[in-house]
Amino acid sequence: MTETKTLDENQLPDNTDQEQDSAHHRKIKSFVLRAGRMTTGQQKGWDVIFPKQGLRLEDGLLDLETTFGRKAPLVVEIGFGMGLSLVEMAGNEQDKNFIGIEVHRPGVGSLMNESDKAGLSNLRAFCDDAVEVLARCIPDNSIDRMQIYFPDPWHKKRHNKRRLVQPEFVAAILPKLKQGGVLHLATDWENYAEQMMEVMSAAEGYKNQAGDQNYSPRPDYRPITKFEKRGERLGHGVWDLLFEKV
């Protein structure tokens, strides 16, 4: 994800807290849906490229070798934003297959357009809820690396329960990882980093690659985005967590 997805709660209707809190207890979701117009490039990516390179929830469980036309390590990213960093990673690691999951059409359109311009054949995308995609489309024991970068921090304490990284969600990811596969989390909110560490340290089946309660240095494969560079200039920290399936 190239930017933290933060929605100003003051823009929401007065009853949103009540409705979303109720929905949270009914069903986990990995996103908050926001409207947005597409640029010409994003529209092209959605209209022209996505029908060829996109993946659809209703098609069910993927045959990954058929999907990519080859057998290769699989990297999945949840919430890739406009997709620029994911395109960069797919271009740098062409020995791997990449699947991005993003619910916002402008972002998916952007990813598809940029992927096409880069001539990539190893990148596919879903425009659907990651919870549903994991449950219905991703085979067990198939993912070498799962990436969740800069998810919405829901920084107000009363909204922390809406954060994506929760015990039930990381438990749902575990069976999709290969043995030795890695869940890589990154955030620029220290409080969220602490929550991530708490959740992951308590989760069964995971081991912190940096050692108990330690954050990891940023791996070379994760690009530093303009958003992150701006945060660093302002003195903001970034925390990476790499937990391995054991």
Side-chain angles (χ1 to χ4, degrees):
M1 182 185 299
T2 58
E3 294 198 2
T4 303
K5 296 182 180 178
T6 305
L7 182 64
D8 185 352
E9 292 83 9
N10 294 326
Q11 297 173 358
L12 298 173
D14 291 341
N15 63 347
T16 299
D17 287 353
Q18 181 178 354
E19 290 176 355
Q20 290 199 3
D21 287 349
S22 176
H24 177 84
H25 291 295
R26 290 196 302 269
K27 183 180 179 182
I28 307 168
K29 285 191 175 182
S30 65
F31 64 94
V32 175
L33 191 60
R34 303 183 305 279
R37 293 183 178 180
M38 292 197 191
T39 66
T40 300
Q42 292 166 0
Q43 195 69 56
K44 176 190 173 185
W46 180 257
D47 292 339
V48 179
I49 313 304
F50 185 79
K52 297 181 290 185
Q53 299 286 93
L55 303 172
R56 299 183 184 278
L57 187 67
E58 56 267 27
D59 291 336
L61 192 67
L62 292 174
D63 181 320
L64 294 169
E65 193 166 347
T66 300
T67 298
F68 289 96
R70 65 174 185 172
K71 190 173 183 178
L74 178 65
V75 179
V76 176
E77 180 164 340
I78 294 174
F80 53 76
M82 290 294 111
L84 298 182
S85 65
L86 183 53
V87 168
E88 182 176 346
M89 280 183 280
N92 290 340
E93 298 183 87
Q94 295 197 33
D95 60 322
K96 297 179 176 65
N97 295 330
F98 286 78
I99 294 176
I101 307 172
E102 172 62 60
V103 75
H104 302 287
R105 286 188 179 188
V108 176
S110 172
L111 179 82
M112 293 285 93
N113 187 48
E114 295 299 325
S115 175
D116 183 61
K117 289 195 295 185
L120 299 180
S121 61
N122 63 331
L123 179 57
R124 303 287 186 273
F126 283 96
C127 186
D128 285 290
D129 178 12
V131 173
E132 293 296 320
V133 170
L134 287 174
R136 296 168 56 181
C137 302
I138 304 298
D140 288 350
N141 303 302
S142 66
I143 300 174
D144 292 85
R145 188 169 81 227
M146 170 69 81
Q147 304 175 166
I148 305 175
Y149 297 156
F150 307 105
D152 194 324
W154 289 106
H155 54 277
K156 292 187 178 180
K157 189 172 182 180
R158 69 178 184 274
H159 295 148
N160 286 176
K161 59 184 171 291
R162 298 181 190 166
R163 289 173 171 174
L164 178 59
V165 180
Q166 303 283 356
E168 59 269 34
F169 188 62
V170 300
I173 290 173
L174 185 67
K176 304 301 175 179
L177 291 172
K178 290 181 180 176
Q179 194 75 12
V182 173
L183 173 56
H184 181 187
L185 309 174
T187 182
D188 59 339
W189 283 78
E190 186 171 12
N191 174 263
Y192 200 178
E194 292 168 350
Q195 178 183 322
M196 288 177 173
M197 183 63 75
E198 180 181 355
V199 168
M200 293 305 305
S201 297
E204 293 186 5
Y206 289 99
K207 179 183 73 174
N208 188 342
Q209 288 191 331
D212 189 39
Q213 299 298 312
N214 290 329
Y215 297 98
S216 294
R218 179 186 62 84
D220 290 340
Y221 63 76
R222 183 175 75 74
I224 301 177
T225 66
K226 291 181 181 179
F227 173 83
E228 190 174 346
K229 289 178 182 177
R230 184 170 70 243
E232 287 179 347
R233 288 197 299 270
L234 295 172
H236 299 168
V238 173
W239 293 265
D240 286 79
L241 297 84
L242 281 81
F243 276 75
E244 178 180 336
K245 179 178 177 178
V246 294

